[in-house]
Coordinates of all heavy atoms in Angstrom, one line a residue:
M1 N 68.1 -63.0 53.1 CA 67.9 -63.1 51.7 C 67.6 -64.5 51.3 O 66.8 -64.8 50.4 CB 69.3 -62.6 51.0 CG 69.2 -61.3 50.2 SD 67.6 -60.7 49.8 CE 67.8 -60.3 48.1
T2 N 68.3 -65.4 52.0 CA 68.1 -66.9 51.6 C 66.7 -67.3 51.8 O 66.1 -67.9 50.9 CB 69.0 -67.8 52.5 OG1 70.3 -67.2 52.6 CG2 69.1 -69.1 51.9
S3 N 66.1 -66.9 52.9 CA 64.7 -67.3 53.1 C 63.7 -66.7 52.1 O 62.8 -67.3 51.7 CB 64.3 -67.0 54.5 OG 64.3 -65.6 54.7
R4 N 64.0 -65.4 51.7 CA 63.2 -64.8 50.7 C 63.2 -65.5 49.4 O 62.2 -65.8 48.7 CB 63.6 -63.3 50.5 CG 62.7 -62.6 49.5 CD 62.7 -61.1 49.7 NE 61.7 -60.5 48.9 CZ 62.0 -60.0 47.7 NH1 63.2 -60.0 47.2 NH2 61.0 -59.4 47.0
R5 N 64.4 -65.9 49.0 CA 64.6 -66.6 47.7 C 63.9 -68.0 47.8 O 63.2 -68.4 46.9 CB 66.1 -66.8 47.4 CG 66.3 -67.5 46.0 CD 67.8 -67.5 45.6 NE 68.3 -66.1 45.6 CZ 69.6 -65.9 45.8 NH1 70.4 -66.9 46.1 NH2 70.1 -64.7 45.7
R6 N 64.0 -68.6 48.9 CA 63.4 -69.9 49.1 C 61.8 -69.8 49.0 O 61.2 -70.6 48.4 CB 63.8 -70.4 50.5 CG 63.1 -71.7 50.9 CD 64.2 -72.7 51.4 NE 63.5 -74.0 51.8 CZ 63.1 -74.9 50.9 NH1 63.3 -74.7 49.7 NH2 62.5 -76.0 51.4
F7 N 61.3 -68.7 49.6 CA 59.9 -68.4 49.5 C 59.4 -68.3 48.1 O 58.4 -68.9 47.7 CB 59.6 -67.1 50.3 CG 58.2 -66.8 50.4 CD1 57.3 -67.6 51.2 CD2 57.7 -65.7 49.7 CE1 56.0 -67.2 51.3 CE2 56.3 -65.4 49.8 CZ 55.5 -66.1 50.6
I8 N 60.2 -67.6 47.3 CA 59.9 -67.3 45.9 C 59.9 -68.7 45.1 O 59.1 -68.9 44.3 CB 60.8 -66.3 45.3 CG1 60.5 -64.9 45.9 CG2 60.7 -66.2 43.8 CD1 61.6 -63.9 45.7
Q9 N 60.8 -69.6 45.6 CA 60.8 -70.9 44.9 C 59.6 -71.7 45.2 O 59.2 -72.5 44.4 CB 62.1 -71.6 45.3 CG 63.4 -71.1 44.6 CD 64.6 -71.7 45.2 OE1 64.6 -72.2 46.3 NE2 65.7 -71.6 44.4
I10 N 59.1 -71.6 46.4 CA 58.0 -72.5 46.9 C 56.7 -72.1 46.3 O 55.9 -72.9 45.9 CB 58.0 -72.4 48.4 CG1 59.2 -73.2 49.0 CG2 56.7 -73.0 48.9 CD1 59.3 -73.0 50.5
I11 N 56.5 -70.8 46.1 CA 55.2 -70.3 45.5 C 54.7 -71.0 44.3 O 53.6 -71.6 44.3 CB 55.2 -68.8 45.3 CG1 55.4 -68.1 46.7 CG2 54.0 -68.3 44.6 CD1 54.2 -68.3 47.7
P12 N 55.5 -71.1 43.2 CA 55.0 -71.8 42.0 C 54.6 -73.3 42.3 O 53.6 -73.8 41.7 CB 56.1 -71.7 41.0 CG 57.0 -70.7 41.6 CD 56.8 -70.6 43.0
I13 N 55.4 -73.9 43.1 CA 55.1 -75.3 43.4 C 53.7 -75.4 44.2 O 52.9 -76.3 43.8 CB 56.2 -75.9 44.3 CG1 57.5 -75.9 43.5 CG2 55.9 -77.4 44.7 CD1 58.8 -76.1 44.3
A14 N 53.5 -74.6 45.1 CA 52.3 -74.6 45.9 C 51.1 -74.3 44.9 O 50.1 -75.0 45.0 CB 52.3 -73.5 47.0
G15 N 51.3 -73.4 44.0 CA 50.2 -73.1 43.0 C 49.9 -74.3 42.2 O 48.8 -74.6 41.9
A16 N 50.9 -75.0 41.7 CA 50.8 -76.1 40.9 C 50.0 -77.2 41.6 O 49.1 -77.9 41.0 CB 52.1 -76.6 40.3
S17 N 50.4 -77.5 42.8 CA 49.7 -78.6 43.5 C 48.3 -78.2 43.8 O 47.4 -79.1 43.8 CB 50.5 -79.0 44.8 OG 51.2 -77.9 45.3
L18 N 48.0 -77.0 44.0 CA 46.6 -76.5 44.2 C 45.8 -76.8 43.0 O 44.7 -77.3 43.1 CB 46.6 -75.0 44.5 CG 46.1 -74.6 45.9 CD1 46.2 -73.0 45.9 CD2 44.8 -75.1 46.2
L19 N 46.4 -76.6 41.8 CA 45.7 -76.8 40.6 C 45.4 -78.3 40.4 O 44.3 -78.7 40.0 CB 46.6 -76.3 39.4 CG 45.9 -76.1 38.1 CD1 45.0 -74.9 38.2 CD2 46.9 -75.9 37.0
V20 N 46.4 -79.1 40.7 CA 46.2 -80.6 40.6 C 45.1 -81.0 41.5 O 44.2 -81.8 41.1 CB 47.5 -81.3 40.9 CG1 47.3 -82.8 41.1 CG2 48.6 -81.0 39.9
A21 N 45.1 -80.5 42.8 CA 44.1 -80.9 43.7 C 42.7 -80.5 43.2 O 41.7 -81.3 43.4 CB 44.4 -80.2 45.1
R22 N 42.6 -79.4 42.6 CA 41.3 -78.9 42.2 C 40.8 -79.8 41.0 O 39.6 -80.1 41.0 CB 41.4 -77.4 41.7 CG 40.1 -76.7 41.7 CD 40.2 -75.3 41.4 NE 41.1 -74.5 42.3 CZ 41.7 -73.4 42.0 NH1 41.6 -72.9 40.8 NH2 42.4 -72.7 42.9
T23 N 41.7 -80.2 40.1 CA 41.3 -81.0 39.0 C 40.9 -82.4 39.5 O 39.9 -82.9 39.0 CB 42.5 -81.2 38.0 OG1 43.0 -79.9 37.8 CG2 42.1 -81.8 36.7
A24 N 41.6 -82.9 40.4 CA 41.3 -84.3 40.9 C 40.0 -84.3 41.7 O 39.4 -85.4 41.7 CB 42.5 -84.7 41.8
S25 N 39.6 -83.2 42.3 CA 38.4 -83.3 43.0 C 37.2 -82.6 42.3 O 36.4 -81.9 42.9 CB 38.6 -82.6 44.4 OG 38.9 -81.3 44.2
A26 N 37.1 -82.8 41.0 CA 36.0 -82.3 40.2 C 34.7 -82.8 40.9 O 34.6 -83.9 41.3 CB 36.1 -82.7 38.8
Q27 N 33.8 -81.9 40.9 CA 32.5 -82.2 41.6 C 31.7 -83.3 40.9 O 31.6 -83.3 39.7 CB 31.7 -80.9 41.6 CG 30.7 -80.7 42.7 CD 29.9 -79.5 42.5 OE1 30.2 -78.6 41.8 NE2 28.7 -79.5 43.1
L28 N 31.1 -84.1 41.7 CA 30.2 -85.2 41.1 C 28.9 -84.6 40.7 O 28.4 -83.7 41.4 CB 30.0 -86.3 42.2 CG 30.9 -87.4 42.3 CD1 30.5 -88.3 43.4 CD2 30.9 -88.2 41.0
V29 N 28.4 -85.0 39.6 CA 27.1 -84.5 39.1 C 26.0 -85.0 40.1 O 26.0 -86.1 40.5 CB 26.8 -85.2 37.7 CG1 25.4 -84.8 37.3 CG2 27.8 -84.7 36.7
S30 N 25.1 -84.0 40.4 CA 24.0 -84.3 41.2 C 22.9 -84.8 40.3 O 22.7 -84.4 39.2 CB 23.6 -83.1 42.0 OG 22.2 -83.2 42.4
E31 N 22.1 -85.8 40.9 CA 21.0 -86.3 40.1 C 19.9 -85.2 39.9 O 19.1 -85.3 39.0 CB 20.3 -87.5 40.8 CG 21.3 -88.7 40.8 CD 20.7 -89.9 41.5 OE1 19.6 -89.9 42.0 OE2 21.4 -90.9 41.6
K32 N 20.0 -84.2 40.8 CA 19.0 -83.1 40.7 C 19.5 -82.0 39.7 O 18.7 -81.1 39.4 CB 18.8 -82.5 42.1 CG 18.2 -83.4 43.0 CD 17.9 -82.8 44.3 CE 17.1 -83.7 45.3 NZ 18.0 -84.8 45.8
D33 N 20.7 -82.1 39.2 CA 21.2 -81.2 38.2 C 20.2 -81.2 37.0 O 19.8 -82.3 36.6 CB 22.6 -81.7 37.8 CG 23.3 -80.9 36.7 OD1 22.7 -80.9 35.6 OD2 24.3 -80.3 37.0
P34 N 19.8 -80.1 36.5 CA 18.8 -80.1 35.4 C 19.2 -80.9 34.2 O 18.4 -81.7 33.6 CB 18.7 -78.6 35.0 CG 19.3 -77.8 36.1 CD 20.2 -78.7 36.8
Q35 N 20.5 -80.9 33.8 CA 21.0 -81.7 32.7 C 20.9 -83.2 33.1 O 20.5 -84.0 32.3 CB 22.4 -81.3 32.4 CG 23.2 -82.3 31.5 CD 23.0 -81.9 30.0 OE1 22.0 -81.3 29.7 NE2 23.9 -82.4 29.2
A36 N 21.2 -83.5 34.3 CA 21.1 -84.9 34.8 C 19.7 -85.4 34.8 O 19.4 -86.5 34.3 CB 21.7 -85.0 36.2
A37 N 18.8 -84.6 35.3 CA 17.4 -84.9 35.3 C 16.8 -85.1 33.9 O 16.1 -86.1 33.6 CB 16.6 -83.8 36.0
A38 N 17.3 -84.3 32.9 CA 16.8 -84.4 31.6 C 17.3 -85.7 30.9 O 16.6 -86.2 30.1 CB 17.3 -83.2 30.8
L39 N 18.4 -86.1 31.3 CA 19.0 -87.4 30.8 C 18.7 -88.6 31.6 O 19.1 -89.7 31.2 CB 20.5 -87.2 30.6 CG 21.0 -86.2 29.5 CD1 22.5 -86.0 29.7 CD2 20.7 -86.8 28.1
G40 N 18.0 -88.4 32.7 CA 17.7 -89.6 33.5 C 18.9 -90.1 34.2 O 19.0 -91.3 34.5
Y41 N 19.9 -89.3 34.5 CA 21.1 -89.7 35.1 C 20.9 -90.2 36.6 O 20.2 -89.5 37.3 CB 22.2 -88.6 35.1 CG 23.4 -88.9 36.0 CD1 24.4 -89.8 35.5 CD2 23.5 -88.4 37.3 CE1 25.5 -90.1 36.3 CE2 24.6 -88.7 38.1 CZ 25.6 -89.6 37.6 OH 26.7 -89.9 38.4
V42 N 21.5 -91.3 36.9 CA 21.4 -91.8 38.3 C 22.9 -92.2 38.7 O 23.6 -92.8 37.8 CB 20.5 -93.0 38.5 CG1 19.0 -92.5 38.6 CG2 20.6 -94.0 37.4
A43 N 23.3 -92.0 39.9 CA 24.6 -92.4 40.3 C 24.7 -93.9 40.5 O 25.8 -94.4 40.5 CB 24.9 -91.6 41.6
D44 N 23.6 -94.5 40.6 CA 23.6 -96.0 40.8 C 22.7 -96.5 39.6 O 21.5 -96.4 39.6 CB 22.9 -96.4 42.1 CG 22.8 -97.9 42.3 OD1 23.0 -98.6 41.4 OD2 22.4 -98.3 43.4
A45 N 23.3 -97.1 38.6 CA 22.7 -97.6 37.4 C 21.4 -98.5 37.7 O 20.5 -98.4 37.0 CB 23.6 -98.3 36.5
T46 N 21.5 -99.3 38.8 CA 20.4 -100.2 39.1 C 19.1 -99.4 39.4 O 18.0 -99.9 39.5 CB 20.7 -101.2 40.2 OG1 21.0 -100.4 41.4 CG2 22.0 -102.0 39.9
K47 N 19.3 -98.1 39.7 CA 18.1 -97.2 40.1 C 17.6 -96.5 38.9 O 16.7 -95.6 39.0 CB 18.5 -96.2 41.2 CG 19.2 -96.9 42.4 CD 18.3 -96.7 43.6 CE 18.7 -97.6 44.8 NZ 20.0 -97.4 45.3
A48 N 18.1 -96.8 37.7 CA 17.6 -96.1 36.5 C 16.1 -96.4 36.3 O 15.6 -97.4 36.7 CB 18.3 -96.7 35.3
D49 N 15.4 -95.4 35.8 CA 13.9 -95.5 35.7 C 13.7 -96.4 34.4 O 13.6 -95.9 33.3 CB 13.4 -94.0 35.4 CG 11.9 -94.0 35.4 OD1 11.2 -95.1 35.2 OD2 11.3 -92.9 35.6
K50 N 13.5 -97.7 34.7 CA 13.4 -98.6 33.6 C 12.1 -98.5 32.9 O 12.0 -98.8 31.7 CB 13.5 -100.1 34.2 CG 14.9 -100.3 34.8 CD 14.9 -101.4 35.9 CE 16.2 -101.4 36.6 NZ 16.2 -100.6 37.8
A51 N 11.0 -97.9 33.5 CA 9.7 -97.7 32.9 C 9.9 -96.6 31.9 O 9.3 -96.7 30.8 CB 8.7 -97.4 33.9
K52 N 10.6 -95.6 32.2 CA 10.8 -94.4 31.3 C 11.8 -94.7 30.3 O 11.7 -94.2 29.2 CB 11.1 -93.2 32.2 CG 11.1 -91.9 31.5 CD 11.2 -90.7 32.5 CE 11.3 -89.4 31.8 NZ 11.5 -88.3 32.7
Y53 N 12.9 -95.3 30.7 CA 14.0 -95.5 29.7 C 14.1 -97.0 29.4 O 14.8 -97.8 30.0 CB 15.3 -95.0 30.4 CG 15.3 -93.5 30.7 CD1 15.2 -93.1 32.1 CD2 15.2 -92.6 29.7 CE1 15.1 -91.8 32.4 CE2 15.1 -91.2 30.1 CZ 15.1 -90.8 31.4 OH 15.0 -89.5 31.7
K54 N 13.4 -97.3 28.3 CA 13.4 -98.7 27.9 C 14.7 -99.2 27.3 O 14.9 -100.4 27.2 CB 12.3 -98.9 26.8 CG 10.9 -98.4 27.2 CD 10.2 -99.4 28.0 CE 8.7 -98.9 28.2 NZ 8.2 -99.4 29.5
N55 N 15.6 -98.2 27.0 CA 16.9 -98.6 26.4 C 17.8 -99.1 27.5 O 18.9 -99.7 27.2 CB 17.5 -97.5 25.7 CG 17.8 -96.3 26.5 OD1 17.0 -95.9 27.4 ND2 18.9 -95.5 26.2
Y56 N 17.5 -99.0 28.8 CA 18.3 -99.4 29.9 C 18.4 -100.9 29.9 O 17.4 -101.6 29.8 CB 17.9 -98.9 31.3 CG 18.7 -99.5 32.4 CD1 19.9 -99.1 32.7 CD2 18.2 -100.6 33.1 CE1 20.7 -99.7 33.7 CE2 18.9 -101.2 34.1 CZ 20.2 -100.8 34.4 OH 20.9 -101.4 35.4
A57 N 19.6 -101.5 30.1 CA 19.7 -102.9 30.2 C 20.7 -103.1 31.4 O 21.6 -102.4 31.6 CB 20.3 -103.5 28.9
A58 N 20.4 -104.2 32.2 CA 21.3 -104.5 33.3 C 22.7 -104.6 32.9 O 23.0 -105.2 31.8 CB 20.8 -105.8 34.0
G59 N 23.6 -104.1 33.7 CA 25.0 -104.2 33.4 C 25.6 -102.9 32.7 O 26.8 -102.8 32.6
Q60 N 24.7 -102.1 32.2 CA 25.1 -100.8 31.6 C 25.6 -99.9 32.8 O 24.8 -99.6 33.7 CB 24.0 -100.2 30.8 CG 23.6 -101.0 29.6 CD 22.5 -100.3 28.8 OE1 21.9 -99.3 29.2 NE2 22.3 -100.8 27.6
L61 N 26.8 -99.4 32.6 CA 27.4 -98.5 33.6 C 28.1 -97.4 32.9 O 28.6 -97.6 31.8 CB 28.4 -99.2 34.5 CG 27.9 -100.4 35.4 CD1 29.1 -101.1 35.9 CD2 27.0 -99.9 36.5
C62 N 28.3 -96.3 33.6 CA 29.2 -95.2 33.0 C 30.5 -95.8 32.6 O 31.1 -95.4 31.5 CB 29.3 -94.0 33.9 SG 27.8 -93.0 34.1
T63 N 31.1 -96.6 33.4 CA 32.4 -97.2 33.2 C 32.5 -98.0 31.9 O 33.6 -98.2 31.3 CB 33.0 -98.0 34.3 OG1 32.0 -99.0 34.7 CG2 33.4 -97.2 35.5
N64 N 31.4 -98.5 31.4 CA 31.5 -99.2 30.1 C 30.7 -98.5 29.0 O 30.3 -99.1 28.0 CB 31.0 -100.7 30.2 CG 29.6 -100.9 30.8 OD1 28.7 -100.1 30.4 ND2 29.4 -101.9 31.6
C65 N 30.5 -97.2 29.2 CA 29.9 -96.3 28.2 C 31.0 -95.7 27.4 O 32.1 -95.3 27.9 CB 29.1 -95.2 28.9 SG 28.5 -94.0 27.8
A66 N 30.8 -95.6 26.1 CA 31.8 -95.0 25.2 C 32.2 -93.6 25.5 O 33.2 -93.1 25.2 CB 31.3 -95.1 23.8
L67 N 31.3 -92.8 26.2 CA 31.5 -91.4 26.5 C 32.3 -91.2 27.8 O 32.8 -90.1 28.1 CB 30.2 -90.7 26.6 CG 29.4 -90.6 25.3 CD1 28.0 -90.0 25.5 CD2 30.2 -89.7 24.3
F68 N 32.4 -92.3 28.6 CA 33.1 -92.2 29.9 C 34.6 -91.9 29.7 O 35.3 -92.6 28.9 CB 33.0 -93.5 30.7 CG 33.5 -93.4 32.1 CD1 32.9 -92.5 33.1 CD2 34.5 -94.2 32.6 CE1 33.3 -92.5 34.4 CE2 35.0 -94.1 33.9 CZ 34.4 -93.3 34.8
Q69 N 35.1 -90.9 30.4 CA 36.5 -90.5 30.2 C 37.5 -91.0 31.2 O 38.7 -90.7 31.1 CB 36.6 -88.9 30.1 CG 35.8 -88.4 28.9 CD 35.6 -86.9 28.9 OE1 35.6 -86.3 30.0 NE2 35.5 -86.3 27.7
G70 N 37.0 -91.8 32.1 CA 37.9 -92.4 33.1 C 38.3 -93.8 32.7 O 38.0 -94.3 31.6
K71 N 39.0 -94.5 33.6 CA 39.3 -95.9 33.4 C 38.1 -96.8 33.8 O 37.3 -96.4 34.7 CB 40.6 -96.3 34.2 CG 41.8 -95.5 33.7 CD 43.1 -96.2 34.3 CE 43.2 -96.0 35.8 NZ 43.5 -94.7 36.3
A72 N 38.1 -98.0 33.4 CA 37.0 -98.9 33.7 C 36.9 -99.2 35.2 O 35.8 -99.5 35.7 CB 37.2 -100.2 33.0
T73 N 38.0 -99.0 35.9 CA 38.0 -99.3 37.4 C 37.8 -98.0 38.2 O 37.7 -98.1 39.4 CB 39.4 -99.9 37.7 OG1 40.4 -99.1 37.2 CG2 39.5 -101.3 37.2
D74 N 37.7 -96.8 37.6 CA 37.5 -95.6 38.3 C 36.1 -95.5 39.0 O 35.1 -95.8 38.4 CB 37.7 -94.4 37.4 CG 39.2 -94.2 37.0 OD1 40.1 -94.8 37.6 OD2 39.5 -93.3 36.1
A75 N 36.1 -94.9 40.2 CA 34.9 -94.7 40.9 C 34.1 -93.6 40.3 O 32.9 -93.5 40.4 CB 35.2 -94.4 42.3
A76 N 34.8 -92.6 39.6 CA 34.1 -91.5 38.9 C 35.0 -91.0 37.8 O 36.2 -91.3 37.8 CB 33.9 -90.4 39.9
G77 N 34.4 -90.4 36.8 CA 35.2 -89.9 35.7 C 34.4 -88.8 35.0 O 33.2 -88.6 35.2
G78 N 35.1 -88.2 34.0 CA 34.4 -87.2 33.2 C 33.5 -87.8 32.2 O 33.6 -89.0 31.8
C79 N 32.6 -87.0 31.7 CA 31.6 -87.3 30.7 C 31.4 -86.0 29.9 O 31.1 -85.0 30.5 CB 30.3 -87.9 31.2 SG 29.1 -88.0 30.0
P80 N 31.5 -86.0 28.6 CA 31.3 -84.8 27.8 C 29.9 -84.1 28.0 O 29.8 -83.0 27.7 CB 31.6 -85.2 26.4 CG 31.6 -86.7 26.4 CD 31.9 -87.1 27.7
L81 N 29.0 -84.9 28.4 CA 27.6 -84.4 28.6 C 27.5 -83.6 29.9 O 26.6 -82.8 30.1 CB 26.6 -85.5 28.6 CG 26.6 -86.4 27.4 CD1 25.5 -87.4 27.5 CD2 26.3 -85.5 26.1
F82 N 28.5 -83.7 30.8 CA 28.5 -83.0 32.0 C 29.9 -82.3 32.2 O 30.7 -82.7 33.0 CB 28.2 -83.9 33.2 CG 26.9 -84.6 33.1 CD1 26.8 -85.9 32.6 CD2 25.7 -83.9 33.5 CE1 25.6 -86.5 32.5 CE2 24.5 -84.6 33.4 CZ 24.4 -85.9 33.0
A83 N 30.1 -81.3 31.4 CA 31.4 -80.6 31.4 C 31.8 -80.1 32.7 O 31.0 -79.5 33.4 CB 31.4 -79.5 30.3
G84 N 33.0 -80.3 33.1 CA 33.6 -79.8 34.3 C 33.1 -80.6 35.6 O 33.5 -80.2 36.7
K85 N 32.4 -81.6 35.4 CA 31.9 -82.4 36.5 C 32.3 -83.9 36.3 O 32.8 -84.2 35.2 CB 30.4 -82.3 36.8 CG 30.1 -80.9 37.2 CD 28.7 -80.8 37.7 CE 28.4 -79.4 38.2 NZ 27.0 -79.2 38.4
Q86 N 32.1 -84.7 37.3 CA 32.3 -86.1 37.1 C 31.0 -86.9 37.3 O 30.2 -86.5 38.1 CB 33.4 -86.6 38.1 CG 34.7 -86.0 37.9 CD 35.9 -86.8 38.4 OE1 35.7 -87.4 39.5 NE2 37.0 -86.8 37.7
V87 N 31.0 -88.0 36.6 CA 29.8 -88.9 36.8 C 30.3 -90.1 37.6 O 31.5 -90.5 37.5 CB 29.2 -89.3 35.5 CG1 28.6 -88.1 34.8 CG2 30.2 -90.0 34.5
A88 N 29.4 -90.8 38.3 CA 29.8 -92.0 39.1 C 30.1 -93.1 38.1 O 29.4 -93.3 37.1 CB 28.7 -92.4 40.0
G89 N 31.2 -93.9 38.4 CA 31.5 -95.0 37.6 C 30.3 -96.0 37.5 O 30.1 -96.6 36.4
K90 N 29.6 -96.1 38.5 CA 28.4 -97.0 38.5 C 27.2 -96.4 38.1 O 26.1 -96.9 38.3 CB 28.3 -97.6 39.9 CG 29.4 -98.6 40.3 CD 29.1 -99.4 41.6 CE 30.0 -100.5 41.8 NZ 31.2 -100.2 42.6
G91 N 27.3 -95.1 37.6 CA 26.1 -94.4 37.2 C 25.6 -94.8 35.8 O 26.1 -95.7 35.1
W92 N 24.6 -94.1 35.4 CA 24.0 -94.4 34.0 C 23.1 -93.2 33.6 O 22.6 -92.5 34.5 CB 23.1 -95.6 34.1 CG 22.4 -96.0 32.8 CD1 23.0 -96.9 31.9 CD2 21.2 -95.6 32.3 NE1 22.1 -97.0 30.8 CE2 21.0 -96.3 31.0 CE3 20.1 -94.8 32.7 CZ2 19.9 -96.1 30.2 CZ3 19.0 -94.6 32.0 CH2 18.9 -95.2 30.7
C93 N 23.0 -93.0 32.3 CA 22.0 -92.0 31.8 C 21.5 -92.5 30.5 O 22.1 -93.4 29.9 CB 22.6 -90.6 31.7 SG 23.4 -90.2 30.1
S94 N 20.4 -91.9 30.0 CA 19.8 -92.4 28.8 C 20.6 -92.2 27.5 O 20.2 -92.7 26.5 CB 18.4 -91.7 28.7 OG 18.6 -90.3 28.6
A95 N 21.7 -91.4 27.6 CA 22.6 -91.3 26.4 C 23.6 -92.4 26.4 O 24.5 -92.3 25.6 CB 23.2 -89.9 26.5
Y96 N 23.5 -93.4 27.3 CA 24.4 -94.5 27.3 C 24.7 -95.1 25.9 O 23.8 -95.3 25.2 CB 23.9 -95.6 28.3 CG 24.8 -96.8 28.3 CD1 25.9 -96.9 29.1 CD2 24.6 -97.9 27.4 CE1 26.7 -98.0 29.1 CE2 25.4 -99.0 27.4 CZ 26.5 -99.0 28.2 OH 27.3 -100.1 28.2
A97 N 25.9 -95.3 25.6 CA 26.3 -95.9 24.4 C 27.4 -96.9 24.7 O 28.5 -96.6 25.3 CB 26.9 -94.9 23.4
K98 N 27.2 -98.2 24.4 CA 28.1 -99.2 24.7 C 29.5 -98.9 24.2 O 29.7 -98.6 23.0 CB 27.6 -100.6 24.3 CG 28.4 -101.7 24.9 CD 27.7 -103.0 24.4 CE 28.4 -104.3 24.7 NZ 29.5 -104.3 25.7
K99 N 30.5 -99.1 25.0 CA 31.9 -98.9 24.6 C 32.3 -100.1 23.7 O 31.9 -101.2 24.0 CB 32.8 -98.9 25.8 CG 34.2 -98.4 25.5 CD 35.1 -98.5 26.8 CE 34.9 -97.2 27.6 NZ 35.8 -97.2 28.8
A100 N 32.9 -99.7 22.6 CA 33.3 -100.8 21.6 C 34.4 -101.7 22.3 O 35.2 -101.2 23.0 CB 33.9 -100.2 20.4
G101 N 34.3 -103.0 21.9 CA 35.3 -103.9 22.4 C 35.0 -104.6 23.6 O 34.6 -104.7 24.5
Ligands
SF4_1 FE1 27.4 -92.1 32.0 FE2 27.6 -92.5 29.4 FE3 25.5 -91.1 30.4 FE4 28.0 -90.1 30.4 S1 26.7 -90.6 28.6 S2 26.5 -90.1 32.1 S3 29.3 -91.8 30.8 S4 26.0 -93.3 30.7

């Protein structure tokens, strides 16, 4: 009986950690993703199409964009334009908006 009770106690914990693991490993946006292509998203901001996107300026990164949902030091984070996925911290897209401050 003891082992059965213990098993029942472990299940919810295992479920919770699975959920955390899934959230933490949200998929990175691919540059080939149709939404990414439409916005000129690149995982490396220095590779932005400067001829096509005249608004690009050196130093612009997802991490200093107002829409970036991670911390300035994060390698990747959420962006409302790519729901359920993550953009690279060093990425860029044409919807870039400088973070205030
Ligand atoms: Fe990066 Fe900002 Fe474009 Fe989102 S809107 S992909 S955070 S540059």
Side-chain angles (χ1 to χ4, degrees):
M1 250 344 229
T2 315
S3 64
R4 184 160 187 261
R5 187 172 299 150
R6 176 130 180 78
F7 182 69
I8 289 165
Q9 283 171 341
I10 289 169
I11 294 297
I13 298 166
S17 28
L18 247 181
L19 197 71
V20 170
R22 203 177 296 159
T23 311
S25 63
Q27 208 187 336
L28 269 177
V29 171
S30 160
E31 292 178 5
K32 293 185 179 75
D33 177 294
Q35 169 85 340
L39 289 168
Y41 169 81
V42 280
D44 176 354
T46 62
K47 305 245 164 63
D49 187 341
K50 295 153 192 95
K52 190 170 176 186
Y53 301 108
K54 306 279 188 210
N55 62 326
Y56 172 79
Q60 293 181 348
L61 299 168
C62 288
T63 50
N64 59 37
C65 171
L67 295 170
F68 188 65
Q69 294 170 332
K71 294 194 295 289
T73 49
D74 285 350
C79 170
L81 301 182
F82 300 97
K85 292 191 179 169
Q86 292 205 324
V87 294
K90 291 191 168 90
W92 183 88
C93 90
S94 60
Y96 175 88
K98 192 175 172 12
K99 192 182 273 183

